[in-house]
Amino acid sequence: MKRTLSTIITVIIFGGILRADEGMWIPALLQRNEAEMQAMGMKITADDIYSINHSSMKDAVVLFGGGCTGEIVSDQGLLLTNHHCGYGWIQRHSTVEHDYLTDGFWAMTMEEELPCPGLTVTMLKNMVDVTDKVLEGVTDQTTDEERAQLVKENIKKLVEETEKTTEYKVTVESFYQGNQYFLMYNEIFKDIRMVGAPPSNIGKFGGDTDNWVWPRHTGDFSIFRVYVDKDGKPAEYSEDNVPYKPDYHFTISLKGVEKDDFTFVFGYPARTNEYLPSVAVNQEANVIYPVVVDLRTQILDIYNKYQEKDAKVRIQYASKHAGLGNGWKKWMGVIEGIRSFKGIEKKRAFETAYNDWCMQARNRMKYMHALRDFTPVYEEYEKYRMATTYMTEAGFSIELISYAASFAELGEVTKDTPQEEIDNIISSLKAETKAFFKDYYQPIDEEVAVTMLEAYRAAQPEDFRPEILNEIDKKYKGDVKAYVDYLFKKSIFTSEENVNKLLDGFKPAKAKKLMKDPAIVAYNSMYEFYRDNVKDKSKECNDRINNLRRVYMEGQMKMIPEVYPERNLYPDANFTLRVTYGKVGGFKPKDAVTYRHFTTLDGIMQKENPDIYDYVVTDRLHELYDAKDYGRYADKDGSMHVAFIAGNHTTGGNSGSPILNAEGQLLGLNFDRTWEGTMSDLVYDPSICKNISVDIRYVLFLIDKYAGCTRLIDEMTIAE
Ligand code: ARG
Ligand code: GLU
């Protein structure tokens, strides 16, 4: 069984005729793509991109924090990522007096670089196929439960054994839905400092309006530096730490791009689901996303109203707004893309062909059954997914309730709890309290609470929802506003002063009373309903789905190369390092409209609007534009290129990824996809799925000419 699986994978990847654009490839197996990449224009080898025997480009690509990509661009650990990836840190260092979000931040010396405690950068050192070891003992007779247990035990053993032999962090990751496994060795850096960020009206130019949209003019970059201890090893922040000397750093190209140029993107895509059955895609795009979009529309309307009125509130809610707004807009794109691209119909047609293929041989019955069995599970799953969605998207969007939830642990303290444990809880709650109130504006939260509880109550049936919603009916005659007034008046969690008083004078005897706080009561009601009625059922459905997906994937891995030899087979994104490649080029989003592949500073001036925060252009940028003072960063057409699109298959997590040319030199930073193509996480269409990158020449122009931070330019390696 295990033997067959590895063979299948090999056959597929060697056997199929690869088609450009679609696919997120495992760097350790890139040899298989080398010929095609070179045929498309690449001038380097797969070994230059990924090698464990000598330094290679992979040594300069990192996971930035938990969800973005960054790349190293100097021999002193200088790192580039997106502005929206550094955003939380830029915001955390900002106050009304030092507003780095609005004004930008430039460390003119290394001493001025700002520590970011909690931020990590992770670098892949090696990855090894361990499918045989993980599936040891699995046979055709093994049940799903036994298999899950075996896989878990084998992974545990493997990780423990490997940990003894290495200083790196070791994990095992599943590919192809549990049909292939890799052991990953990672090095984690913990002293990362903020070096530079443009003002938001450059780094986030166009804001949420332009987000996901082409043509785009966002200077979406920020700069950090990796520090290590004196021995060059990762270490917690210390004044004595020194800049990291990487094994590899990218050379920067000032040549720019032309239509049809070969490019590749190297980074950390988080999640795609390209092999789902149509029932699942339908539930996603036509049931769940519409609910989330609707709830978030209501919340964002409330944020907007208050953010427009008050500069302080604008900063406080900037990060929260961007976070909610990003998924909100993407999912609208997915819904629309699936509809107009006929994603579900295409999946169904595929399923017909798949069933026909299954019918051709007796031993393919299990593959046919897997596909068939999805339908009843998804039907059952819907109710539980809805309940979860309303809890997280409506219930927990009420900040007071989410914040109070952190105190539940303190509420469970008894007189037998060791004092040290209590002290730890209190000190972490103190930090959380400080952070919470820095960015809290109660009028927003009250309005969100009324709106969300109303939606929650209206959508979830009386016999299947948290008790607190029924209480609103009983005690408040359905008057949500009256309940919310009571909640905010009676809860201690609206006052920083009172919370600190509670924490300072906390005794186990007070725990019981704390649990009666209406915000904790509300949280517990929602959470307990979920725990008692939703959690296990959801997990059960999900486990069944995952088992079906594994078998369905195995079936597809056999069927696709036979029936659709032109189709690419690659594992879904799973937060591991991938390479994707495609050519530079525009697209036709709709009838009569054609998009060029690049934008320029002219477009920024066209979009300028001094009255709209996201479209303000600073005097400094005007001066440089009027004087055409672009230096060596100008394109050969004389203009300043800002962003460009290409056919690379990217997703969330690829933000900040280096986009590289045929020689492997840095052309820009990936930061988005085109809205029309956002359904590419579920179904990919090369004609409209494009990735958006900021041109590295615009980045360097801003660092050099705009900010005058030339010390950073001096440490980079630049190819003119
Ligand atoms: N859409 C991009 C991504 O998914 C950028 C998000 C940040 N930008 C914004 N305007 N919210 O991360
Ligand atoms: N902005 C996304 C990110 O943060 C990349 C856009 C996408 O989803 O492709 O990773």
Side-chain angles (χ1 to χ4, degrees):
M1 166 104 176
K2 40 191 178 146
R3 176 72 36 82
T4 8
L5 285 174
S6 322
T7 328
I8 300 167
I9 292 162
T10 321
V11 167
I12 285 160
I13 295 167
F14 278 118
I17 304 160
L18 299 179
R19 195 195 54 203
D21 294 341
E22 180 171 3
M24 301 176 169
W25 306 99
I26 300 175
L29 306 178
L30 203 61
Q31 300 293 350
R32 295 164 183 178
N33 302 76
E34 188 180 58
E36 188 190 52
M37 293 170 87
Q38 288 172 343
M40 285 170 68
M42 185 174 79
K43 303 230 166 60
I44 53 174
T45 65
D47 195 54
D48 295 329
I49 297 174
Y50 179 94
S51 170
I52 50 164
N53 302 317
H54 52 80
S55 70
S56 63
M57 287 171 198
K58 81 147 184 14
D59 301 317
V61 182
V62 299
L63 177 68
F64 179 84
C68 277
T69 307
E71 57 276 358
I72 296 180
V73 292
S74 88
D75 60 2
Q76 299 180 63
L78 195 67
L79 183 153
L80 293 179
T81 187
N82 289 147
H83 185 263
H84 77 263
C85 295
Y87 200 72
W89 296 101
I90 308 167
Q91 193 220 14
R92 249 161 279 180
H93 287 296
S94 291
T95 56
V96 173
E97 296 77 46
H98 291 282
D99 186 352
Y100 301 139
L101 279 182
T102 303
D103 305 326
F105 168 76
W106 305 98
M108 288 300 175
T109 61
M110 266 193 197
E111 289 66 46
E112 286 171 25
E113 298 179 358
L114 296 173
C116 303
L119 176 59
T120 58
V121 147
T122 305
M123 193 180 287
L124 178 70
K125 300 311 265 187
N126 192 4
M127 62 187 293
V128 183
D129 188 331
V130 289
T131 312
D132 289 356
K133 287 189 181 138
V134 172
L135 297 182
E136 202 168 284
V138 174
T139 67
D140 280 342
Q141 275 66 52
T142 311
T143 65
D144 286 342
E145 290 74 28
E146 286 165 358
R147 181 186 170 114
Q149 192 57 32
L150 267 174
V151 165
K152 203 169 133 194
E153 282 164 16
N154 288 343
I155 288 181
K156 186 161 175 268
K157 205 167 80 198
L158 197 57
V159 168
E160 279 169 6
E161 274 168 15
T162 318
E163 271 170 348
K164 287 188 203 127
T165 66
T166 174
E167 55 189 315
Y168 300 130
K169 171 133 179 58
V170 188
T171 57
V172 171
E173 307 294 340
S174 151
F175 293 73
Y176 291 107
Q177 246 56 58
N179 283 294
Q180 191 180 23
Y181 290 90
F182 274 89
L183 182 71
M184 321 290 281
Y185 296 78
N186 281 304
E187 186 164 35
I188 302 176
F189 296 87
K190 295 181 172 156
D191 182 357
I192 315 300
R193 302 188 198 169
M194 189 166 105
V195 176
S200 290
N201 53 31
I202 290 175
K204 203 175 177 255
F205 183 81
D208 290 336
T209 314
D210 282 13
N211 190 23
W212 296 110
V213 172
W214 185 257
R216 189 68 157 279
H217 299 86
T218 312
D220 201 342
F221 76 98
S222 59
I223 314 170
F224 289 78
R225 191 188 302 280
V226 182
Y227 282 78
V228 287
D229 68 15
K230 290 213 179 77
D231 306 321
K233 295 275 171 233
E236 296 291 344
Y237 169 79
S238 153
E239 259 182 55
D240 303 330
N241 284 350
V242 295
Y244 171 60
K245 294 231 166 308
D247 290 338
Y248 189 91
H249 69 272
F250 284 107
T251 295
I252 292 168
S253 165
L254 294 186
K255 285 194 222 90
V257 294
E258 308 230 7
K259 187 172 172 297
D260 291 331
D261 276 358
F262 172 83
T263 61
F264 67 104
V265 173
F266 201 0
Y268 277 91
R271 279 267 175 257
T272 56
N273 288 294
E274 314 283 354
Y275 303 97
L276 280 179
S278 57
V279 274
V281 176
N282 186 49
Q283 186 166 95
E284 213 69 36
N286 296 330
V287 181
I288 302 294
Y289 290 168
V291 169
V292 179
V293 165
D294 175 48
L295 293 172
R296 290 193 181 191
T297 305
Q298 300 182 52
I299 299 173
L300 290 168
D301 282 347
I302 297 169
Y303 284 10
N304 284 338
K305 191 170 79 187
Y306 288 95
Q307 281 184 291
E308 275 161 27
K309 280 200 285 218
D310 186 330
K312 187 170 165 217
V313 176
R314 185 176 47 66
I315 298 176
Q316 287 179 316
Y317 279 72
S319 208
K320 299 174 193 174
H321 191 292
L324 282 183
N326 193 42
W328 168 77
K329 191 159 182 187
K330 178 176 87 173
W331 291 318
M332 284 193 274
V334 178
I335 296 169
E336 177 51 27
I338 295 281
R339 188 194 67 77
S340 59
F341 177 66
K342 303 210 183 313
I344 290 162
E345 292 81 345
K346 283 187 183 146
K347 285 266 174 193
R348 286 201 185 118
F350 171 80
E351 286 161 14
T352 306
Y354 174 89
N355 281 330
D356 289 348
W357 174 85
C358 289
M359 295 291 276
Q360 288 164 16
R362 263 202 91 71
N363 62 4
R364 294 178 189 169
M365 281 305 116
K366 67 169 178 181
Y367 301 131
M368 191 157 103
H369 292 161
L371 177 57
R372 183 195 62 193
D373 292 347
F374 278 117
T375 306
V377 196
Y378 271 101
E379 265 164 24
E380 190 185 335
Y381 195 24
E382 185 174 316
K383 174 175 169 190
Y384 303 111
R385 283 192 84 182
M386 272 309 184
T388 310
T389 302
Y390 274 98
M391 176 181 73
T392 55
E393 291 284 330
F396 297 169
S397 291
I398 303 164
E399 294 173 76
L400 183 73
I401 291 180
S402 298
Y403 167 57
S406 324
F407 286 72
E409 203 186 351
L410 194 62
E412 273 152 23
V413 158
T414 67
K415 60 181 188 338
D416 301 326
T417 315
Q419 189 57 41
E420 197 191 326
E421 203 175 294
I422 301 181
D423 290 345
N424 279 341
I425 299 176
I426 289 182
S427 91
S428 92
L429 286 175
K430 280 204 151 171
E432 192 177 333
T433 297
K434 195 167 162 225
F436 176 77
F437 283 102
K438 176 174 182 284
D439 292 333
Y440 186 61
Y441 187 62
Q442 194 176 323
I444 288 192
D445 202 27
E446 287 189 34
E447 214 170 308
V448 167
V450 174
T451 316
M452 286 301 103
L453 290 173
E454 263 166 10
Y456 201 161
R457 197 166 134 268
Q460 294 288 284
E462 232 168 276
D463 61 351
F464 197 69
R465 66 189 192 191
E467 196 38 45
I468 192 81
L469 297 178
N470 290 335
E471 234 179 84
I472 294 177
D473 284 347
K474 280 184 243 146
K475 268 204 195 149
Y476 298 88
K477 302 198 178 60
D479 184 350
V480 175
K481 173 91 174 51
Y483 164 72
V484 169
D485 285 345
Y486 151 83
L487 173 68
F488 280 78
K489 202 173 271 151
K490 280 282 146 53
S491 173
I492 169 179
F493 295 107
T494 54
S495 154
E496 182 166 11
E497 198 188 325
N498 290 344
V499 172
N500 280 324
K501 254 191 235 155
L502 166 91
L503 291 174
D504 287 333
F506 184 80
K507 295 198 188 52
K510 294 189 178 169
K512 269 228 172 71
K513 185 165 167 242
L514 178 62
M515 293 306 266
K516 297 217 172 80
D517 185 280
I520 295 198
V521 169
Y523 169 76
N524 279 338
S525 167
M526 292 177 196
Y527 179 71
E528 280 161 16
F529 173 78
Y530 169 79
R531 186 194 59 201
D532 299 340
N533 305 284
V534 179
K535 194 171 170 225
D536 294 345
K537 289 282 187 191
S538 262
K539 181 169 179 321
E540 206 185 292
C541 291
N542 206 25
D543 287 349
R544 276 156 66 200
I545 288 171
N546 282 334
N547 284 321
L548 293 173
R549 284 183 71 179
R550 189 191 71 242
V551 182
Y552 184 43
M553 186 74 239
E554 194 186 311
Q556 293 182 78
M557 290 164 90
K558 292 186 176 176
M559 174 261 186
I560 291 174
E562 280 181 33
V563 183
Y564 299 100
E566 74 292 351
R567 236 191 95 174
N568 285 345
L569 252 191
Y570 54 93
D572 270 320
N574 61 351
F575 291 95
T576 62
L577 190 59
R578 300 294 178 91
V579 174
T580 173
Y581 48 95
K583 290 188 171 180
V584 173
F587 68 109
K588 294 186 195 313
K590 53 188 165 208
D591 190 31
V593 180
T594 308
Y595 284 147
R596 186 179 70 187
H597 65 274
F598 68 93
T599 59
T600 71
L601 210 42
D602 298 338
I604 294 187
M605 302 306 160
Q606 287 163 8
K607 282 181 178 173
E608 176 179 19
N609 184 340
D611 298 330
I612 303 177
Y613 180 73
D614 291 323
Y615 293 100
V616 171
V617 176
T618 59
D619 293 344
R620 177 88 193 117
L621 196 57
H622 267 294
E623 277 163 33
L624 292 163
Y625 176 71
D626 293 340
K628 299 283 174 279
D629 184 4
Y630 308 146
R632 56 180 173 159
Y633 310 116
D635 189 79
K636 59 179 184 304
D637 68 13
S639 71
M640 184 79 242
H641 286 207
V642 172
F644 63 93
I645 48 177
N648 290 290
H649 188 183
T650 53
T651 188
N654 269 126
S655 273
S657 297
I659 178 162
L660 304 148
N661 66 11
E663 279 94 25
Q665 297 168 335
L666 191 64
L667 291 169
L669 273 57
N670 179 78
F671 70 95
D672 214 354
R673 265 175 296 163
T674 52
W675 192 77
E676 294 81 358
T678 44
M679 84 291 190
S680 67
D681 293 345
L682 298 169
V683 280
Y684 189 91
D685 176 2
S687 69
I688 51 169
C689 294
K690 305 284 166 187
N691 71 310
I692 308 181
S693 306
V694 55
D695 194 308
I696 198 68
R697 296 171 299 175
Y698 184 51
V699 172
L700 263 49
F701 158 78
L702 289 166
I703 298 173
D704 184 346
K705 297 273 178 180
Y706 184 89
C709 207
T710 47
R711 69 175 187 109
L712 301 179
I713 304 284
D714 294 341
E715 59 176 283
M716 298 176 187
T717 310
I718 296 174
E720 302 263 348

